[in-house]
Amino acid sequence: MSIINSNQGRVSSAMTADSMLSILRQTQTEMMKIQQQISSGKKVSVPSDNSGAASAIGNFRNLLAQFDQHTESLSNASDVLAVTDSTLSDISDLVTQAQSIASSQIGVTSDATTRSSQAEIVDSLIDSLSQSANADHNGIFLFSGRTSSTKPFTELLGGYRYTGSRENLAATIGQNLPIDVNSNGASALGALSSRVVSTVDLDPAATATTRLSDVAGARNVGVQLGTVNVTIDGTQVSVDLTHSDSLGDIATRINSAINGIDPTAGGLAVSSKGFTLTAAAGHTIDIAEVGAGVTAADLGIGLTATGAAVVGGDVNPKLTLTTDVSTFGVPVDMTSGLSVTSGSVTKVIDFTGATTIQDMANKVSAADMGLRLEINSSGTGLNLVNEVSGIDVSIGENAGGTTASDLGVRSLTGSTQLADFNHGLGVRILGSGQNDIEIQLHDGTKVDVSLTGATTVADVMSAINTAGGGSVTAGMAASGNGLELTDTTAGAGAFTVIDLNNGYAAEDLGIKNNVGAGATITGTDVAKVRNESVFTHLMALRDALRQNDTRGITLAGEALNRDLDTLTRSRASTGVRSNRIDAEKTRTADRKIQTASLLSGLQDTDVTSAITRFTQLQQQLQANLQMGAQVMKLTLLDFLK
Amino acid sequence: MSLIGALHTGFSGLAVNQAALEVVGNNMANSATKGYSRQSAVIVASTGTEVQPGTFIGNGIQLQTIIRHVDEALNTRLRSATSDQQAATARQDVLTQIESIENDLSDQGISNQLTQFANSWSQLASNPTDPGLRTLVVSQGQSLAELIGTVRGEMSSLRKQTETDITANVTQADQILTQIASINQQITLAEGGAGSANALRDQRDQLLSQLSELVPVTTVLQPSGSMDVLVDSIPIVLGTQSRGLQVTPTNESGTLQYILRVKADGSRLDPQSGKIGQLMESRVGDVTDAINALDTFAGNLIFQLNKVHSSGQGEQGYGTLTASNGVLDATAALNTPAAGLTFQPVNGSFQITVTQKSTGQKITRQINVDLDGIGTDTSLNDIAGALSAVPNLTATVAANGKLKIDAASSDFTFSFSQDSSAALAALGLNSFFNGTSAADISVNSALTANPLLLAAGQGDIAGDNRNALQLAGLFETPLDDLNGQTLRGSWENHVQDFAARTDSTKRLVQSTGIVTDGLSAQQQSVSGVNLDEEAVNLLSFQRSYQGSARFISVVDEMLQTVLGLVK
C-alpha cells in the first residue's frame, strides 16, 4: 500500500521511521486477523466481517438449528408411529384369534360347554385389547388423539368408554407442514361410530355479539372483510369494515357512517338472519361493494332500502359452545328432556335451565352415561355421541316431550333402516306378499299385515296403518323409544300382535305382545345403537358364546372380519405416515448438509488461501523489517571521519 | 579596506557559521522530536565596501534569520484530515463495541437464543405431555429474556461510557485552548510583531494538531503572530483569550442531548467531524439507535408472543390471576393514552372458560372488547364487570390499575381462549413474557413457578399441542403488526444494518488513514529533518568556519608583518 506520493521532494529521517512503523502495523494487523481466522476456523466471526453475508449466515445458522429440531421431532413421531404399528399389529392378531374362535364355534362340532370356555378366552382378549388400546409411548397415548395426556379407554357401565378426541396430535416438520403423530380410537378402532347423527339444522339467530369468525357467511365461504360503499340519498361514503370482530361491529360502523351524513336517514340493524337495512320514509340507503370486493356479499348487506326495511342475506351463524339456546331458529322442547338408556341404566337428561349449548353439553356429561354432545362439523346441529363401546344406547323422548326429535338425536325414527334392527340382524320379513304379522283387536277384528318391501320404520308404520284402516294405528312411542300400536276399537277381545306363517317380523320389530284390554302396545326398542368398535364386537362374540347363540357368533365373526379390514387400513395409514416421515428425515438430512456447506462457504476460513496469504504477509513483514533496518542504518554520519 | 576590517570579515564568518552549525545541531537533536519543524539559518553576504568607484569588496556574511520550514496550507489540510480520521476511528470504536455486545453470530447471540427458544416450543409440541419439556421452554424463555436484558444493560453502559468520553474529551479540548491562548501571548511578546519564536510556533502547531483530533478547527494567523482558532466560523480562541469549550447535557424533546457550547457566550457548536462531534453523533445515532432497535424488538417479541400464548391453555387453569400491566385510568377506553397501556388492544373479543374441577363442568363466556371509536368504548372497569358477570368469577381493578380475577373457590379454575382483541396480551393476562421493552423483559413468574400453566394447547384440551405449534412457528411468521416482517427478520435487519454501518466505518477509517498518512508524509517532506542533509550542512558550515578561522590567522600574519615594519 502506497501512502507516500511518488513525487515526494524530500525524505526526512522521521518519515522513514514513521512509514516503516505504519507498514509494520498494517502488516501485523492483517497477520493477526488471518491468525484469528485460522485458529477459529471462521473468516466471519462478527457481522461486519462480511456485512453482505451476515444476514445469510444468521439465516443458515437458524435453519441448521431448525433442521436439528425437525430431526428430533421426526424421530419422536417416527417412534410413536412404530409403537402404534406394532400395537395395531397386536390388536389385529387378537382380532384374528377371536375371529378364528368365532368361525370354529359356529358349526355343530361345538357345544355349549366348549363355547362357554371359548368365551373366557375372548374375555381375556378383551383385556389385552384394553391394554393395547391404552398403550402410550413416552407419555403420549397412542389412541387418544389430541387429548394425548389422557388414557383413552376406561370402563363404564360394563363397556369401554372412549374419552379421546377425533383429531390426532400433529407435529410440524419442515415448511410448517403438519403430520399426525398419534392415532385416535375413533378412526383406528371405531370407538365413536354410533349412528345417531342429527339432521336438524338448529339455525341459531344472529346477534350483535356473534363473531364474524362464527358465521358461515351469506355465500357460505366465510366473511372476507374489506371496505363497502354506503350511499345515503345520493351521498356516497366508503366504510372500512376491516378489524370488525362481531356482527354488531359491522352495524355500528355503517350506522356511524350513515349518521355522519343524515342521522334521520335510517340504519343497519342486526336481525335474526343477519342484517336488516332500514331507510326512513323519503330516504334511500344503498350498500354496495367497492370494486370487485366481496364483503357486502359475504355479509348479505348488498342492499338498497328506499323508505322501508330490507332484510339482508342469511349469514348462517354457526353453533358454538356459547350460542344461546333461545336463539335457535327451530322450536326445541328444552323442558322435557331426553330419555336415555345405556345398557341397563335409564336416565332422563333434562335441559331445563340450560342457556347455552355448553350448558347442555355439561348436563349431558353430568349424567355420566358415557355420552357427549358435539356440534357437528358444519356448525348447524348437535350430535349426541355414545362414547361407550359394548353397550347399547337408546335415546328417546321423556314423558311425551319432543326434545329428542327437536334436536334430532332420537335413536329410533321413521327413517331408521330395518336392516339396522337387532344389531344388524335386521327384521326377518317373509316376502312375496305373504302376511307377516296379525293384529288382533278388541272388537275381534284380525288385521293381517304384509311387510314385503318395507325397508324403514316408516314403511312398517304405513303398512300397518293401511291394513288397519283406522281401527289400529301405528306410530312412534311418545315416551321412550319403539313402535307404538293403538287399538281404536271397543270390545272384549285382547289386543294382541303375533307372527304369522312361522315368521319373526313382530318379534324382530319388538311389538309381539298381548296387552289384553289395554289399548296400546308399546314396542321394545330393538334398534338400539352401539359403537361398531373392536371392543363391541369382541364383547358381542363373548356374550354370544356364553349364550350359545350361533347366529350371534356368526354376526360377531363377520363384524370382526370388517374390523380386520379397518385395522389393516389403520396400519396402512400408519405406514404411509412412517414413510412420509422417513422421506422427510432423509430430505432434512440432505438439506442440512447443503445448508451446512453453504454456511461453511460463507463463514468458514479457506485454510489454504488463508495460509498462502499468511505466508505472503510474512514475507512482506520480513522484507519491511530488512529494508527498514538497512535504510535506517545508513547515514552520512557514519562515513565522516 | 583595512586589515582590521578584514578581521571583522573573518569574524562574521566564524560567528555566522557557528550559529548555522548550531541550527544544524538543533535540527539533528530534534530529528525525532514530534512536531518539530526543521529550521534553516538564512545567511546572506554583508554589503560590501566601495574600494574604488564601482568596485565593492564584501564584508563577510551575516545571519539574516532562522526560518521554520512549514507549509501552513498543508497543515490546515492535515488538521482537517485528522479530524475526519479521528471521527471515523471514534465511530468505529463505538460500532465495534455494539457489535461485540450483540455478538450475534455466536451461540450466545440473540438470534441463536431465539432459535433455541422456538425449538423448545417445537420440542414441547412433539411431546406435550412431558413436564420436563415445559420446564425447558420456560428456561429457554428465561435465557432469552436475560440475554436481551444483559445486552440492553451493556448498551446502556456503552452509552454512559460514551458520555464520559465526550465530557473528558471536551475538558481536554478546553485545556488545549487555554494552552494555545497562552502560547499566543508568549509568541506575541517574543516576536513583537516581527521575530520568529520557532519553538513556540512548533508547540502551537502541535497543540492545534491535538485539538483537530477532537474538533475540526480552522485558523487565522494574525500579524502579531497570534493565531485565532475557529470551529464552524465561531471563534474559540481569539488572540490571547481562550473562549473555552464545555458540554452541557440538555433535555431536548424528551431525550437527553449532549451539546457542545462555547464557554464564553454559550454559542452552540455542531462539529461535523473530530472525536467529540462523532461521539455526540454516535451516542444518539448509533448507541441509542441500537438500544431503541433492541427495545422495539423486545416489545414486539413480548406482545406478539403473548398474543398467541394468552389465547392458549395450560394443563391447569388459574385459580387467581393478576394482570402484569396496569392502566392509569380504569374508566378510560383501553386503547386511549388515558389508559396508558404500552401495547394497544384492538376492537375484538375473547373468551373465558370457568371449569369446576370436581365435576368437569365448563362455562364459557365471550367478553367483548369494543374499541372501534364509535359510541362508548370498553374500559378496564367494563371488562372487570363483564368478567364478574361470569358465574363463579370475580374481577376487580386494584388501586394500581391492575385487573385481578379470582375464581369463587378452589374448586373452580379459569382459562382464556380466542382473543381477537389482544386485550389479554395488552393487560398481561396469561402472558409468557412480562415487561414492555428490553429493559424489563422477563418470563411471567407464574410460569416459572408452575410450568403446567404454560399454554401449549387450544380448545381446553389437556395434552393438546396446537398453541405450542403456533408459537414454534411464530418467529418465522410474517406479522401484520410488523408490516409483513417476521420477528426474526426484524432482528436480523437490525444486525444487518449495524454490520453494514460497522463495515463502512472500518473502510472509512482506512481511507481517512491513507489521506492523513499521505498528508503527514507531505508535511514531513517539508518540515522533517533529514540527518544526511544536516550532515552535509554540518560539513559545509564547518568548512566555512574553518576557512574563516584560517582567514583570520592569515590576516593576523599580515598584521604581524605590517607591525614588524615598525621597528
Side-chain angles (χ1 to χ4, degrees):
Chain A
M1 184 191 305
S2 164
I3 51 166
I4 296 164
N5 290 339
S6 50
N7 60 0
Q8 202 78 45
R10 279 181 77 246
V11 176
S12 75
S13 304
M15 188 170 141
T16 317
D18 279 355
S19 94
M20 180 185 157
L21 276 177
S22 148
I23 293 171
L24 272 183
R25 253 200 309 268
Q26 279 169 25
T27 313
Q28 284 176 340
T29 311
E30 211 166 324
M31 283 177 86
M32 196 193 70
K33 251 192 224 163
I34 289 184
Q35 188 194 351
Q36 220 172 23
Q37 286 181 8
I38 292 174
S39 58
S40 71
K42 289 196 171 107
K43 68 179 171 209
V44 181
S45 52
V46 288
S48 66
D49 283 345
N50 184 349
S51 60
S55 148
I57 290 173
N59 215 349
F60 287 147
R61 282 169 54 87
N62 176 38
L63 273 180
L64 281 180
Q66 276 185 1
F67 290 151
D68 283 345
Q69 175 51 38
H70 287 158
T71 312
E72 209 176 306
S73 297
L74 287 168
S75 297
N76 184 55
S78 155
D79 289 353
V80 174
L81 285 174
V83 183
T84 307
D85 183 59
S86 88
T87 311
L88 282 172
S89 154
D90 291 348
I91 295 175
S92 293
D93 287 351
L94 67 89
V95 170
T96 311
Q97 201 186 337
Q99 200 210 3
S100 71
I101 291 174
S103 41
S104 71
Q105 300 303 318
I106 297 168
V108 288
T109 48
S110 185
D111 55 28
T113 329
T114 320
R115 286 179 182 135
S116 166
S117 63
Q118 290 295 319
E120 297 318 305
I121 298 177
V122 175
D123 201 34
S124 71
L125 289 178
I126 295 172
D127 284 345
S128 313
L129 174 62
S130 158
Q131 270 173 25
S132 295
N134 278 331
D136 74 290
H137 174 72
N138 222 348
I140 298 179
F141 285 99
L142 303 179
F143 298 107
S144 61
R146 268 186 198 150
T147 52
S148 65
S149 59
T150 319
K151 193 166 139 183
F153 289 95
T154 48
E155 286 192 45
L156 183 81
L157 303 169
Y160 288 88
R161 179 187 194 180
Y162 176 67
T163 49
S165 73
R166 288 177 196 273
E167 293 88 16
N168 295 336
L169 188 71
T172 36
I173 44 159
Q175 280 91 55
N176 280 339
L177 291 175
I179 190 164
D180 287 353
V181 176
N182 69 355
S183 305
N184 66 78
S187 63
L189 304 171
L192 294 177
S193 56
S194 145
R195 66 176 155 76
V196 186
V197 174
S198 171
T199 52
V200 175
D201 182 352
L202 291 173
D203 192 21
T207 65
T209 57
T210 303
R211 285 181 152 199
L212 291 168
S213 54
D214 291 335
V215 301
R219 300 186 302 145
N220 248 321
V221 287
V223 176
Q224 217 176 317
L225 287 174
T227 304
V228 294
N229 280 333
V230 181
T231 313
I232 304 109
D233 298 329
T235 312
Q236 182 179 303
V237 280
S238 57
V239 182
D240 184 3
L241 297 177
T242 49
H243 301 301
S244 296
D245 187 57
S246 62
L247 297 181
D249 289 345
I250 302 284
T252 313
R253 282 162 202 230
I254 288 182
N255 285 335
S256 158
I258 295 173
N259 289 340
I261 303 294
D262 183 353
T264 62
L268 186 74
V270 179
S271 56
S272 65
K273 293 289 177 194
F275 296 97
T276 304
L277 182 63
T278 310
H283 291 282
T284 301
I285 303 176
D286 172 70
I287 303 177
E289 307 285 7
V290 172
V294 291
T295 311
D298 283 343
L299 292 167
I301 54 169
L303 306 168
T304 307
T306 309
V310 188
V311 178
D314 189 348
V315 296
N316 295 311
K318 294 183 202 168
L319 292 175
T320 65
L321 285 177
T322 52
T323 300
D324 191 329
V325 295
S326 66
T327 65
F328 288 159
V330 293
V332 175
D333 175 4
M334 295 294 288
T335 48
S336 305
L338 304 171
S339 170
V340 179
T341 308
S342 264
S344 55
V345 182
T346 299
K347 278 185 186 172
V348 171
I349 298 177
D350 182 7
F351 292 129
T352 310
T355 58
T356 63
I357 289 181
Q358 193 179 39
D359 291 345
M360 293 171 70
N362 280 337
K363 285 180 184 288
V364 170
S365 70
D368 212 17
M369 298 283 276
L371 293 173
R372 75 165 81 144
L373 192 70
E374 280 183 352
I375 297 168
N376 67 19
S377 56
S378 53
T380 55
L382 300 173
N383 293 337
L384 201 54
V385 179
N386 175 20
E387 295 178 332
V388 188
S389 290
I391 58 168
D392 297 339
V393 171
S394 164
I395 304 161
E397 302 294 356
N398 176 44
T402 57
T403 311
S405 306
D406 291 347
L407 293 173
V409 294
R410 197 174 163 138
S411 62
L412 180 68
T413 64
S415 57
T416 304
Q417 295 288 318
L418 295 182
D420 289 332
F421 272 53
N422 302 306
H423 297 156
L425 286 173
V427 176
R428 285 167 281 186
I429 292 169
L430 296 168
S432 321
Q434 289 190 70
N435 285 331
D436 292 280
I437 57 174
E438 182 174 277
I439 306 165
Q440 298 165 2
L441 305 176
H442 294 312
D443 64 356
T445 318
K446 291 178 178 169
V447 179
D448 290 351
V449 185
S450 166
L451 298 178
T452 304
T455 55
T456 64
V457 175
D459 292 343
V460 171
M461 294 193 294
S462 127
I464 294 173
N465 286 333
T466 310
S471 51
V472 59
T473 58
M476 301 301 301
S479 297
N481 250 343
L483 280 169
E484 196 169 77
L485 302 187
T486 312
D487 185 352
T488 58
T489 64
F495 182 27
T496 313
V497 178
I498 56 165
D499 279 308
L500 286 180
N501 302 323
N502 297 323
Y504 298 97
E507 189 184 334
D508 289 350
L509 284 167
I511 52 171
K512 188 174 175 182
N513 205 346
N514 179 350
V515 294
T520 309
I521 290 177
T522 303
T524 50
D525 184 0
V526 287
K528 290 180 177 174
V529 293
R530 65 174 190 185
N531 283 317
E532 297 299 321
S533 75
V534 183
F535 277 107
T536 309
H537 300 146
L538 284 178
M539 288 166 78
L541 175 61
R542 180 192 64 192
D543 296 344
L545 285 168
R546 278 186 185 150
Q547 288 155 17
N548 199 18
D549 170 8
T550 51
R551 206 166 151 235
I553 297 173
T554 310
L555 203 65
E558 284 166 4
L560 286 170
N561 209 8
R562 287 195 297 276
D563 288 342
L564 273 180
D565 288 347
T566 314
L567 286 167
T568 311
R569 275 200 300 276
S570 292
R571 282 191 71 183
S573 110
T574 313
V576 168
R577 269 147 67 192
S578 277
N579 281 343
R580 232 187 100 193
I581 286 178
D582 285 346
E584 193 60 38
K585 264 184 178 168
T586 318
R587 214 179 65 85
T588 308
D590 285 351
R591 285 202 63 199
K592 200 180 149 183
I593 292 170
Q594 284 168 5
T595 311
S597 106
L598 285 173
L599 176 63
S600 165
L602 284 178
Q603 197 181 17
D604 290 353
T605 312
D606 176 354
V607 180
T608 320
S609 72
I611 288 178
T612 312
R613 177 85 186 122
F614 190 76
T615 317
Q616 281 176 344
L617 287 169
Q618 236 175 347
Q619 284 164 356
Q620 182 180 317
L621 181 69
Q622 201 174 355
N624 189 22
L625 286 170
Q626 271 176 3
M627 280 299 292
Q630 286 298 330
V631 169
M632 288 176 58
K633 203 165 74 180
L634 283 179
T635 161
L636 185 60
L637 296 170
D638 287 342
F639 300 92
L640 297 174
K641 292 275 154 57
Chain B
M1 178 73 203
S2 68
L3 277 176
I4 300 300
L7 269 182
H8 278 293
T9 303
F11 174 71
S12 77
L14 283 185
V16 170
N17 280 315
Q18 191 185 341
L21 276 171
E22 276 170 25
V23 170
V24 170
N26 189 37
N27 278 344
M28 287 175 120
N30 282 301
S31 70
T33 304
K34 214 170 157 42
Y36 178 78
S37 305
R38 135 179 102 96
Q39 298 177 6
S40 298
V42 181
I43 300 167
V44 290
S46 298
T47 327
T49 312
E50 196 171 31
V51 286
Q52 60 183 62
T55 306
F56 294 86
I57 291 177
N59 277 330
I61 54 173
Q62 69 184 57
L63 182 65
Q64 192 177 51
T65 181
I66 296 169
I67 56 160
R68 284 165 75 228
H69 292 266
V70 285
D71 179 340
E72 277 303 334
L74 190 59
N75 280 352
T76 308
R77 278 171 63 205
L78 181 59
R79 281 198 288 268
S80 140
T82 307
S83 295
D84 289 343
Q85 191 209 6
Q86 287 299 320
T89 311
R91 184 165 194 220
Q92 179 186 246
D93 287 352
V94 170
L95 286 171
T96 313
Q97 286 190 66
I98 293 176
E99 191 171 54
S100 82
I101 288 172
E102 287 180 354
N103 203 5
D104 207 66
L105 288 187
S106 78
D107 287 349
Q108 285 73 43
I110 287 176
S111 293
N112 189 51
Q113 287 296 324
L114 206 58
T115 306
Q116 301 297 329
F117 182 50
N119 281 352
S120 71
W121 278 108
S122 175
Q123 242 175 310
L124 176 63
S126 69
N127 194 350
T129 60
D130 190 339
L133 292 179
R134 283 175 184 273
T135 314
L136 177 73
V137 171
V138 172
S139 47
Q140 286 290 2
Q142 278 175 316
S143 308
L144 178 61
E146 278 162 19
L147 177 66
I148 291 174
T150 310
V151 171
R152 175 65 158 75
E154 286 179 18
M155 294 258 206
S156 295
S157 312
L158 177 61
R159 184 159 60 184
K160 282 217 181 66
Q161 185 202 318
T162 312
E163 287 161 3
T164 317
D165 278 1
I166 293 172
T167 316
N169 283 308
V170 170
T171 311
Q172 194 192 343
D174 186 49
Q175 283 166 357
I176 293 175
L177 293 183
T178 315
Q179 290 173 31
I180 291 176
S182 129
I183 287 177
N184 270 346
Q185 187 168 22
Q186 291 175 44
I187 290 174
T188 316
L189 285 176
E191 296 182 348
S196 60
N198 288 345
L200 288 170
R201 284 177 180 247
D202 273 353
Q203 251 183 57
R204 187 171 63 190
D205 280 354
Q206 183 71 9
L207 285 170
L208 280 170
S209 143
Q210 282 175 24
L211 184 64
S212 67
E213 290 181 4
L214 303 173
V215 280
V217 290
T218 46
T219 53
V220 180
L221 189 60
Q222 298 297 334
S224 65
S226 76
M227 193 174 255
D228 293 348
V229 183
L230 302 94
V231 174
D232 290 339
S233 66
I234 295 173
I236 48 176
V237 174
L238 271 180
T240 57
Q241 284 299 313
S242 160
R243 289 164 42 85
L245 280 179
Q246 63 180 6
V247 67
T248 45
T250 314
N251 200 331
E252 262 188 10
S253 57
T255 52
L256 191 68
Q257 300 282 358
Y258 273 64
I259 293 167
L260 186 66
R261 290 184 192 280
V262 177
K263 258 187 200 168
D265 60 0
S267 350
R268 176 175 176 156
L269 298 174
D270 282 309
Q272 296 304 308
S273 62
K275 205 171 169 185
I276 293 174
Q278 185 57 51
L279 283 176
M280 294 199 309
E281 165 63 28
S282 279
R283 177 187 163 271
V284 178
D286 292 323
V287 186
T288 306
D289 194 32
I291 291 177
N292 288 345
L294 184 64
D295 278 347
T296 310
F297 166 73
N300 286 332
L301 173 70
I302 295 169
F303 192 42
Q304 299 302 331
L305 191 83
N306 284 351
K307 274 212 269 192
V308 178
H309 189 269
S310 59
S311 280
Q313 304 86 37
E315 293 286 283
Q316 280 181 6
Y318 291 95
T320 176
L321 179 63
T322 305
S324 53
N325 303 328
V327 296
L328 299 175
D329 178 358
T331 61
L334 285 174
N335 60 351
T336 56
L341 286 171
T342 310
F343 303 119
Q344 299 286 306
V346 295
N347 188 54
S349 55
F350 65 87
Q351 298 194 338
I352 186 163
T353 301
V354 181
T355 308
Q356 187 170 12
K357 282 196 271 184
S358 55
T359 62
Q361 304 267 293
K362 292 178 197 296
I363 293 176
T364 304
R365 289 286 183 272
Q366 181 172 316
I367 310 293
N368 295 305
V369 183
D370 178 5
L371 294 173
D372 52 11
I374 304 166
T376 312
D377 281 354
T378 306
S379 68
L380 191 58
N381 279 344
D382 295 338
I383 288 188
L387 287 171
S388 294
V390 180
N392 303 312
L393 218 57
T394 323
T396 48
V397 180
N400 58 8
K402 290 183 177 178
L403 183 70
K404 183 169 187 285
I405 310 174
D406 290 294
S409 74
S410 59
D411 192 25
F412 294 96
T413 61
F414 55 91
S415 56
F416 304 91
S417 58
Q418 298 183 30
D419 184 6
S420 59
S421 66
L424 296 173
L427 292 169
L429 290 165
N430 191 25
S431 55
F432 184 88
F433 283 124
N434 280 350
T436 54
S437 72
D440 58 358
I441 183 173
S442 67
V443 173
N444 184 357
S445 56
L447 296 180
T448 47
N450 182 6
L452 286 178
L453 291 171
L454 198 65
Q458 289 174 359
D460 268 308
I461 297 173
D464 186 38
N465 67 350
R466 280 172 291 171
N467 222 38
L469 281 180
Q470 205 180 331
L471 286 165
L474 177 69
F475 307 100
E476 316 289 338
T477 312
L479 298 170
D480 286 346
D481 290 358
L482 303 183
N483 297 321
Q485 238 186 3
T486 65
L487 267 174
R488 171 183 299 288
S490 71
W491 177 250
E492 270 175 3
N493 268 6
H494 158 74
V495 172
Q496 179 80 47
D497 174 19
F498 272 72
R501 289 189 202 186
T502 314
D503 200 12
S504 68
T505 311
K506 278 181 183 171
R507 283 172 216 284
L508 193 62
V509 170
Q510 276 175 6
S511 61
T512 51
I514 290 170
V515 172
T516 323
D517 284 355
L519 286 170
S520 77
Q522 279 188 42
Q523 192 220 27
Q524 278 286 307
S525 114
V526 174
S527 306
V529 177
N530 184 322
L531 284 174
D532 293 339
E533 202 177 85
E534 299 305 327
V536 171
N537 285 338
L538 186 74
L539 276 180
S540 66
F541 290 129
Q542 189 187 356
R543 292 299 172 217
S544 185
Y545 183 88
Q546 283 171 345
S548 295
R550 186 79 195 116
F551 173 69
I552 287 173
S553 110
V554 169
V555 171
D556 181 42
E557 275 175 34
M558 286 163 77
L559 270 174
Q560 295 278 346
T561 309
V562 170
L563 288 174
L565 293 175
V566 191
K567 277 191 183 156

